[in-house]
Each structure stands twice: as C-alpha cells, then as structure tokens.
C-alpha cells in the first residue's frame, strides 16, 4: 500500500506540472490566475498522500487545511481587485 | 488482497483520471470561459474521489472527520473561486468566444 501511494504521488506531480504551460503562455492575467488556482487545489491532495507516506497524517491534515484556506482567500481577493479595475475598451482575450 | 485495499486503489485511480482530464482541458480549450469548466467540474470531482479513498484507508475517527471537513471545504470553495474569476472577467469586458475560428493554436 505504501508503494501504491508513492507511485500515485509521482503521477500526481506530473499532472500538477501540466498547467504551468498555461501559467507561462496565458494570454491574459485571468488565465494565469485560473491555472494557479488549479495547481493550488491539486497540491492539497499531494500533501495528503505525502502525509500517508510519512505515517504522520495527523500532522499533515492541519497543514492541508491551512493551505486550502489561504489559497481560497487569496484567489477571491485578487478576483475582487481585478473586477474593480477600470474597464478596458476592447481586445479582452 | 483484502477488500479494503481494492476500494482504496479504485477510488484513488478514478480521482487521478479525472484530474488528468482537467489538466488536459485547461491546456487545450480555446477560451477563458470554457477553461473555467475544466477547473470547476472535473478537478473538484477528482479531488473528492481521492480524498474519499484516503478516508477508507485511514481507520481512526478523528482523521476521517478532518478529511471529511477537507472534502466539504473543497466542494464549496473550488466552484466559488472559479465563479468569482469568471465574474471578474465578465465585468472587465472580456467577450466569450461564440463562433469557432479556423486556425486555433
């Protein structure tokens, strides 16, 4: 069971590396922000799997909860700040 | 192999499959408003499946309750974040792509 968690963590790391392409070449700021949000929400599962690998899941769950709440609040505040900016005339995407 | 390990492996593999589909979707879809679908739907479903498999693997009561709390928080927070980003894009003046272009990527 330990080796299965190890292999699934490696596979999940490869999956997390895919939206970095959208972060680098995204046309607008919101595309980059959306890809960053995707990376942050997949990292939660990765931290849980690493906690089961180390055998200290009671400590890693608290780290996971704090990380999830921080990422959610940051994403909401940046979205609010972008929507309050001055409206651009054309050429959004 | 006991019956618990089969359930754990099944749920974790199904969750990783849905997360892979979400990652491919954010790379391949042509528009911002269609990329939010790849994040808010398939990604949330994949995370819920993996955490459900971890709940089955972990036997104790306190850790399972905390993982259930993570499940509830993810199911609430991930679509709210995507909806806030889409709302900000719409207020900023970004138009959705209604007609398919010929040469994309």
């Amino acid at each position: 069971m330990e080796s299965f968690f190890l292999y699934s963590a490696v596979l999940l790391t490869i999956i997390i590396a895919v939206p970095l392409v959208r972060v680098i070449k995204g046309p607008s700021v919101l595309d980059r922000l959306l890809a960053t949000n995707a990376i942050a929400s997949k990292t939660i599962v990765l931290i849980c799997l690493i906690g089961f690998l180390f055998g200290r899941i009671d400590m890693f769950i608290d780290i996971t909860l704090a990380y999830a709440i921080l990422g959610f609040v940051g994403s909401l505040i940046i979205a609010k700040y972008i929507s309050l900016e001055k409206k651009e005339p054309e050429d959004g995407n | 192999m006991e019956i618990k390990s089969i359930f754990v492996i099944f749920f974790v593999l199904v969750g990783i499959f849905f997360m892979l589909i979400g990652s491919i979707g954010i790379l391949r879809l042509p528009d911002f408003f269609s990329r939010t679908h790849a994040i808010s739907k398939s990604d949330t479903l994949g995370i819920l499946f993996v955490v459900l498999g971890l709940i089955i693997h972990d036997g104790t009561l306190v850790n399972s309750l905390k993982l259930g709390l993570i499940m509830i928080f993810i199911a609430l927070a991930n679509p709210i974040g995507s909806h806030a980003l889409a709302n900000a894009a719409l207020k900023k003046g970004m138009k959705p792509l209604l007609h398919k272009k010929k040469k994309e990527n």
Side-chain angles (χ1 to χ4, degrees):
Chain A
M1 213 61 205
E2 298 280 331
S3 59
F4 172 69
F5 280 152
L6 181 62
Y7 288 143
S8 55
V10 171
L11 191 60
L12 195 57
T13 309
I14 298 172
I15 292 174
I16 285 173
V18 172
L20 274 177
V21 181
R22 184 55 69 188
V23 173
I24 292 170
K25 73 164 190 178
S28 70
V29 183
L30 288 161
D31 287 316
R32 297 161 202 261
L33 205 58
L34 194 72
T36 313
N37 200 2
I39 291 173
S41 63
K42 288 191 191 72
T43 310
I44 294 168
V45 181
L46 185 63
I47 295 175
C48 279
L49 285 177
I50 289 175
F52 273 106
L53 275 181
F54 284 166
R56 295 290 304 274
I57 187 60
D58 49 351
M59 184 180 72
F60 275 87
I61 285 178
D62 299 336
I63 301 174
T64 306
L65 267 174
Y67 189 78
I69 292 172
L70 278 180
F72 173 60
V73 171
S75 172
L76 270 190
I77 288 175
I78 294 174
K80 186 73 175 175
Y81 171 69
I82 287 177
S83 72
L84 287 183
E85 272 185 343
K86 193 178 292 182
K87 181 183 287 189
E88 291 182 357
E90 197 57 45
D91 194 16
N93 45 6
Chain B
M1 185 182 292
E2 50 182 330
I3 193 83
K4 195 177 79 171
S5 303
I6 298 175
F7 275 105
V8 172
I9 289 174
F10 174 73
F11 279 123
V12 171
L13 283 184
V14 169
I16 285 179
F17 174 71
F18 275 109
M19 278 192 277
L20 177 66
I21 289 182
S23 286
I24 293 174
I26 196 173
L27 200 63
R28 291 283 296 170
L29 287 174
D31 191 13
F32 172 74
F33 293 100
S34 55
R35 277 175 211 138
T36 56
H37 286 276
I39 295 304
S40 63
K41 285 180 187 133
S42 66
D43 213 353
T44 307
L45 189 63
I47 291 171
L48 290 189
F49 266 117
V50 175
V51 179
L52 185 63
L54 294 183
I55 284 178
I56 294 174
H57 177 261
D58 191 87
T60 63
L61 181 63
V62 181
N63 293 337
S64 295
L65 281 180
K66 280 183 183 175
L67 282 173
L69 197 63
I70 289 176
M71 275 181 70
I72 295 174
F73 182 75
I74 288 297
L76 281 179
N78 214 350
I80 288 177
S82 297
H83 179 264
L85 282 177
N87 199 7
L90 199 62
K91 277 183 183 175
K92 202 183 174 189
M94 190 181 287
K95 294 286 199 322
L97 185 66
L98 292 180
H99 301 289
K100 185 182 288 186
K101 291 178 182 176
K102 284 291 177 64
K103 299 284 288 184
E104 196 67 41
N105 286 327

